[in-house]
């Protein structure tokens, strides 16, 4: 696990615990993946099964986590890619923004 992925796991683990059903995968371009589930966050792989996949650069994910970037705006402008269940993507966006 890279230090960057470890940072995402540490940040998102407490935010995700008990707040999501199924699995969501964040694909951080050129760095790896993080899996979110009701038990928290863990390092993932690009082929790990998930109900929804959100993909973006590290800069975009960091901006979303800090509140500088609205995840819906990021999606609408093509900065954030979403594959799978849209309802779950909205739930994950709430976890990312801490709301």
């Amino acid at each position: 696990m890279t230090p960057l992925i470890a940072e995402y796991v540490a940040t998102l683990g407490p935010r995700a615990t008990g707040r999501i059903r199924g699995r969501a995968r964040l694909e951080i371009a050129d760095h790896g993946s993080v899996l979110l589930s009701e038990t928290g966050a863990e390092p993932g792989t690009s082929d790990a099964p998930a109900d929804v996949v959100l993909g973006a650069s590290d800069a975009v994910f960091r901006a979303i986590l800090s509140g500088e970037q609205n995840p819906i705006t990021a999606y609408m402008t093509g900065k954030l890619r979403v594959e799978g269940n849209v309802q779950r993507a909205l739930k994950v966006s709430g976890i990312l923004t801490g709301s």
Side-chain angles (χ1 to χ4, degrees):
M1 171 172 33
T2 68
L4 185 123
I5 295 299
E7 183 181 339
Y8 276 97
V9 169
T11 300
L12 293 172
R15 291 186 188 184
T17 302
R19 292 192 58 202
I20 186 171
R21 290 187 183 161
R23 294 173 70 137
R25 187 173 72 234
L26 306 181
E27 292 184 350
I28 301 124
D30 302 322
H31 293 286
S33 300
V34 176
L35 293 174
L36 304 177
S37 69
E38 66 182 17
T39 60
E42 63 185 87
T45 61
S46 61
D47 61 348
D51 301 301
V52 65
V53 177
L54 283 72
S57 68
D58 175 47
V60 169
F61 276 121
R62 285 185 186 274
I64 291 170
L65 288 168
S66 72
E68 295 173 25
Q69 172 72 64
N70 180 296
I72 295 171
T73 303
Y75 172 73
M76 298 299 280
T77 58
K79 294 178 182 178
L80 179 67
R81 177 180 47 84
V82 176
E83 296 174 14
N85 187 306
V86 175
Q87 294 289 22
R88 292 198 190 215
L90 291 172
K91 184 70 168 181
V92 173
S93 72
I95 292 167
L96 294 176
T97 59
S99 57

